[in-house]
Amino acid sequence: MSAGPEPAPARLASGLISRSHLGIEPFEMRRPDSLADAAAAVADGSWAHAGGIDVAQRLRAGQAADELVPLCRPPTSAGTGLEMLGEISLGDGCLFIGAAVTHARIESDPLVQAHRPDVAATWRTIGNVRIRAAGTLGGNLAAFHPGYDAAPILAAAEATVVVAEPDGTLDRCSVADLPQHRLIVGCEVPLSGQVVFDRSLKPVVSVAVGDQAVAIGCAYAYTVVIPHGATRTEDVAAALAALADPINDAFATAAYRRRMIGVLVDRCLRAHAEPPVLARDDRMGVPATRPASTQEVAPPDARSLEAAPPARSQDVQSPDDVSRDGAGSTTHVEMHLNGEPFAVAAPPSEMLVDTIRTRAGLDGTRVGCDQAVCGTCTVLVDDMPAASCSTFTWQADDTEVLTIESASDPDSANARGDVASILPAVQGAFAKSSAFQCGYCTPGLILVAAALLARHRDPDRATICDWLDSNVCRCTGYLMVIEAVEAAAAALAGHASADSSSGSAA
């Protein structure tokens, strides 16, 4: 299956469509060949692109980027320095987490779980299943958004941010002093300490409490860091009283925010005094298959960019050749779409949802909020849910993409195995449980449920709700959807038992 270089969907004559994937201005692509090259491009105003969801939202909101520097899957080969972006490793008294490491990997990585289980536990609360699968540590920090979660967690953990200067040298700064127009390489998190994070009142306020610092998100235009923590509660109380008035907006008044800051800080201080809760990696379901190496490695600035990289956990392999393209040019993308080869030449600004709907003609993938929130546009990329409305088509190069149409051919799905073989059973369970009304959001719900059951054949209701939290249904209500997932799990368990019995009899 292939599609030619057709133009992107036309815009309205009146101009850009507000808050729409059709309104993204064209941009150039620049794939760096070294850490210094990437740092120089970012210093000159180019946008670093890792997970990319925030980048898509900024472009959709009307901001313009002359050039994007793709860093979402850094190369693993030594000598460029870019490999550091996808690294999790042990250094001198710290845990180094690269900027291109996804939230899902942080919460499930064996090194993080072994040395900072509290950080792994807090990271599991960031976003939803699609955000955690695609979003990255560096992207979260580089957005400079007061409502994002990485900054308060890392500030409370007393982490240090490693940035690259235009000449390739590395520098360090605090989370509160994070400079703009500098390439974030990663963070160094101390191996000792405990962080408790509460985001239950977002977007009003979020609070992270560590041993020696308290960080406040959402309530101000920036993350506020109090240099006193759980060991100095009296100083924390005095610092809270001295804070300036928080934001007064449609979400909450300044007075209410100030009161809720005190409530969450008190709650986190009490939780900090309790025995730490170890992180669970079964909610996200990302297998922790990488060995938990305890090998010590040199800190980033002591490494030679020409030397072989240290032993580490590594993210997925490097992407296809994303060349430096002009604003009117195209990128060549090859993927497997529902099990069949699919090649397309698309503008760098084209979203995956448009490629699927207009080029492949698969309209089961819907456009909803266009903000990576509602889940209507969900597809599976390498068996994990992805927001196709905020995923550029070139990000899907060399991946397996599944849409709801793959459930319509059970024989082919069973032959492919894995998630594809589960989809027909999930779709049948939704039909029998009447877990739909208008059906607009149903394809996304079925795909998320199939991805969940591929990892957990017998999930508890809390895990089901955690995954389905990424998808909004306006008319059905969620009880029937949850029951449909439970019914699909039971059906799959029955098939497995039947197959096992048949094999034994044979």
Side-chain angles (χ1 to χ4, degrees):
M1 186 188 316
S2 62
E6 301 172 4
R11 299 176 184 176
L12 295 181
S14 58
L16 299 182
I17 302 174
S18 176
R19 300 176 66 83
S20 170
H21 61 289
L22 301 180
I24 292 180
E25 288 284 5
F27 52 80
E28 292 185 359
M29 293 270 290
R30 173 178 174 176
R31 183 179 180 184
D33 54 19
S34 67
L35 189 66
D37 185 26
V42 172
D44 288 339
S46 299
W47 291 17
H49 179 286
I53 292 177
D54 180 77
V55 169
Q57 305 313 328
R58 291 165 61 192
L59 291 171
R60 186 174 289 123
Q63 298 185 45
D66 293 333
E67 189 175 67
L68 250 60
V69 181
L71 302 170
C72 49
R73 287 182 287 178
T76 58
S77 57
T80 66
L82 292 169
E83 64 272 10
M84 294 166 54
L85 300 174
E87 174 183 321
I88 295 180
S89 59
L90 290 176
D92 184 13
C94 68
L95 183 68
F96 177 78
I97 304 175
V101 174
T102 63
H103 302 313
R105 184 177 158 202
I106 292 174
E107 67 175 276
S108 64
D109 190 272
L111 283 178
V112 182
Q113 290 190 342
H115 297 278
R116 286 306 300 261
D118 59 312
V119 172
T122 59
W123 229 270
R124 184 166 54 83
T125 68
I126 290 180
N128 57 47
V129 64
R130 294 187 308 275
I131 300 297
R132 295 197 294 270
T136 61
L137 178 147
N140 200 285
L141 288 177
F144 297 97
H145 193 293
Y148 287 2
D149 295 331
I153 294 172
L154 293 170
E158 299 179 275
T160 300
V161 180
V162 181
V163 297
E165 299 295 337
D167 60 0
T169 60
L170 300 181
D171 199 0
R172 286 168 172 76
C173 63
S174 69
V175 175
D177 296 327
L178 187 64
Q180 298 204 32
H181 302 303
R182 287 294 180 269
L183 177 66
I184 300 174
V185 176
C187 287
E188 294 173 333
V189 183
L191 294 180
S192 61
Q194 180 189 354
V195 170
V196 175
F197 181 54
D198 193 325
R199 67 193 296 274
S200 60
L201 292 183
K202 287 186 65 175
V204 173
V205 62
S206 63
V207 166
V209 170
D211 295 359
Q212 304 296 332
V214 170
I216 302 168
C218 299
Y220 296 88
Y222 49 87
T223 298
V224 172
V225 181
I226 297 173
H228 313 298
T231 60
R232 298 168 61 183
T233 56
E234 298 84 359
D235 293 331
V236 170
L240 289 177
L243 286 177
D245 286 338
I247 296 171
N248 189 22
D249 60 15
F251 292 114
T253 64
Y256 181 75
R257 275 196 168 96
R258 179 179 288 278
R259 180 183 174 188
M260 290 303 104
I261 289 172
V263 169
L264 290 194
V265 168
D266 181 68
R267 183 185 299 173
C268 288
L269 286 171
R270 286 187 280 109
H272 192 282
E274 298 172 355
V277 178
L278 296 180
R280 289 177 53 192
D281 64 353
D282 59 333
R283 287 290 181 91
M284 185 64 189
V286 178
T289 56
R290 310 172 194 84
S293 170
T294 57
Q295 179 179 353
E296 295 283 329
V297 298
D301 60 346
R303 302 176 200 167
S304 168
L305 298 186
E306 289 73 31
R312 61 187 182 275
S313 305
Q314 192 66 44
D315 266 331
V316 293
Q317 299 298 310
S318 59
D320 74 315
D321 291 332
V322 182
S323 58
R324 181 166 184 155
D325 301 305
S329 64
T330 59
T331 56
H332 182 72
V333 179
E334 294 183 3
M335 68 183 82
H336 275 81
L337 182 58
N338 295 334
E340 297 183 26
F342 182 83
V344 63
S349 59
E350 183 168 311
M351 291 298 177
L352 182 58
V353 66
D354 296 316
T355 300
I356 291 172
R357 289 180 59 85
T358 64
R359 298 184 190 275
L362 303 175
D363 56 8
T365 302
R366 314 284 170 70
V367 178
C369 69
D370 238 0
Q371 299 291 309
V373 174
C374 74
T376 299
C377 70
T378 299
V379 298
L380 301 184
V381 177
D382 288 339
D383 294 343
M384 284 301 296
S388 62
C389 77
S390 299
T391 301
F392 294 110
T393 298
W394 51 263
Q395 290 180 257
D397 185 75
D398 195 28
T399 66
E400 298 279 345
V401 178
L402 290 180
T403 70
I404 192 62
E405 285 82 2
S406 63
S408 63
D409 187 355
D411 293 335
S412 174
N414 288 328
R416 294 200 303 274
D418 298 330
V419 177
S421 64
I422 295 175
L423 275 171
V426 176
Q427 188 178 55
F430 268 67
K432 291 179 181 178
S433 302
S434 298
F436 60 90
Q437 283 189 27
C438 77
Y440 197 78
C441 67
T442 307
L445 285 165
I446 291 173
L447 288 165
V448 170
L452 165 62
L453 293 176
R455 288 157 178 78
H456 309 299
R457 287 304 176 94
D458 187 24
D460 58 26
R461 186 160 285 195
T463 301
I464 294 173
C465 291
D466 185 64
W467 279 66
L468 295 181
D469 179 61
S470 65
N471 291 67
V472 176
C473 177
R474 297 297 188 189
C475 52
T476 305
Y478 297 99
L479 180 58
M480 290 181 291
V481 175
I482 294 169
E483 290 174 344
V485 178
E486 292 173 335
L492 291 168
H495 291 323
S497 298
D499 293 342
S500 176
S501 299
S502 175
S504 300

